[in-house]
Amino acid sequence: MKTKLNSSINESRLQAEAFSALCHSRQLVLPNAWDGASAAVVVRAGAQAVATTSAGVAWVAGTADGGGLDQDAAILAIQSIVRATKTPVSADIEHGYGESPAQLARTIERVLSAGAVGINIEDSFEGILRDSDAQCGRLEIIRSTADRLGVPLFVNARVDTFFYGSTDQDERLENTLQRASAYVRAGADGIFVPGVADEPTISLLVAGISVPLNVMVGPGSLTADTLLALGVGRVTLGMAGALGAYGALERAAKELLTTGSYDTLAGSPDFGSFNEMMTR
């Protein structure tokens, strides 16, 4: 048993180091996944790593994003995604699935046990920004837990200032940079600022943040190439992929129910190749 455990830790350590190298290359583009099949699809498309989307995972579990998902369901999703791909996996753990230090540490233990080697952790809870000092304390717990287990977990600290807080542009930018700096000192390896979309603001964030900056994209966003050229280190699709998949299903269902046809599904993978991809 000890040999098996040591082997698992060594494998996770190697995966974590590989993922960290990808993030620090500042050229990482990640189409997010929400279950084993979607993870296999993005890897087959060429993704070098897989990041989960908490929204997509919540929807698969039949609940809403933003607190509807519990720790058990999140861990099951991570396990299925890790099982479906040999690439590094980074897990979106929302606010951490627990408010106490012991609960947060337990989340990290279970995430690492499930095979993930990176996380996103939000600094808001139930629509309110946490005190930055309190969030730094949570990041220190995450870092110490991962260090105790011997895995250099890549911690992508999410800064939700563009969702909540001041609407004054200058004040919001200053708050974002202050939080980012504090989170890096507390152990964050990357900073994720969802909701930012314009080139001037992104350029200021890149200049003011010492670690790789993660920007989330979707229809209408700047292209990944443009963002990488600006210095963004990590471009993620977030929930957009899941929404696109569900949108395609809804269009196909409407077509079938109204006209009796199914041309919307033309171009889909064939059963044989898709099923073979999922055979492990």
Side-chain angles (χ1 to χ4, degrees):
M1 176 66 77
K2 186 175 181 181
T3 301
K4 184 177 180 181
L5 179 61
N6 288 340
S7 175
S8 177
I9 290 174
N10 286 335
E11 183 179 348
S12 291
R13 185 182 296 115
L14 291 173
Q15 288 264 13
E17 290 170 352
F19 184 64
S20 179
L22 287 172
C23 291
H24 284 289
S25 73
R26 299 182 185 251
Q27 292 290 310
L28 184 57
V29 180
L30 290 174
N32 297 67
W34 54 94
D35 59 11
S38 59
V41 165
V42 300
V43 170
R44 186 165 72 168
Q48 295 177 281
V50 173
T52 74
T53 159
S54 66
V57 172
W59 297 334
V60 167
T63 190
D65 187 32
L69 193 70
D70 64 24
Q71 187 189 90
D72 288 341
I75 296 301
L76 285 173
I78 295 169
Q79 290 172 336
S80 72
I81 289 169
V82 169
R83 188 165 55 244
T85 173
K86 296 184 182 301
T87 65
V89 173
S90 180
D92 181 347
I93 63 169
E94 299 189 71
H95 62 280
Y97 304 119
E99 286 301 288
S100 74
Q103 289 171 329
L104 180 58
R106 180 58 179 156
T107 295
I108 300 306
E109 290 170 353
R110 295 187 71 188
V111 165
L112 289 173
S113 179
V117 295
I119 61 163
N120 282 344
I121 178 76
E122 302 168 4
D123 69 349
S124 63
F125 181 55
E126 296 182 343
I128 299 173
L129 280 172
R130 291 186 189 274
D131 174 80
S132 60
D133 289 340
Q135 185 68 2
C136 285
R138 292 173 68 79
L139 290 169
E140 289 167 357
I141 291 168
I142 291 169
R143 177 55 62 208
S144 64
T145 302
D147 288 347
R148 171 169 55 81
L149 295 173
V151 179
L153 179 72
F154 191 96
V155 179
N156 201 34
R158 183 170 131 173
V159 183
D160 281 343
T161 44
F162 280 76
F163 287 158
Y164 312 111
S166 175
T167 57
D168 179 81
Q169 180 71 3
D170 292 337
E171 186 176 337
R172 183 166 55 184
L173 179 62
E174 181 180 2
N175 190 10
T176 302
L177 293 173
Q178 287 175 347
R179 284 176 177 263
S181 179
Y183 296 168
V184 171
R185 291 195 300 271
D189 302 290
I191 296 295
F192 177 25
V193 186
V196 62
D198 63 286
E199 187 170 328
T201 302
I202 291 172
S203 296
L204 289 172
L205 289 173
V206 168
I209 295 174
S210 61
V211 296
L213 172 67
N214 183 179
V215 171
M216 185 168 65
V217 296
S221 299
L222 296 171
T223 66
D225 285 347
T226 298
L227 291 169
L228 295 175
L230 290 173
V232 170
R234 177 166 159 176
V235 179
T236 49
L237 199 55
M239 68 188 76
L243 289 171
Y246 293 132
L249 175 59
E250 183 177 15
R251 289 190 294 274
K254 285 182 177 178
E255 181 186 5
L256 179 63
L257 293 169
T258 55
T259 68
S261 59
Y262 17 82
D263 294 336
T264 302
L265 296 174
S268 300
D270 67 90
F271 172 83
S273 63
F274 195 91
N275 198 54
E276 183 180 356
M277 177 183 68
M278 298 305 300
T279 302
R280 299 249 172 213

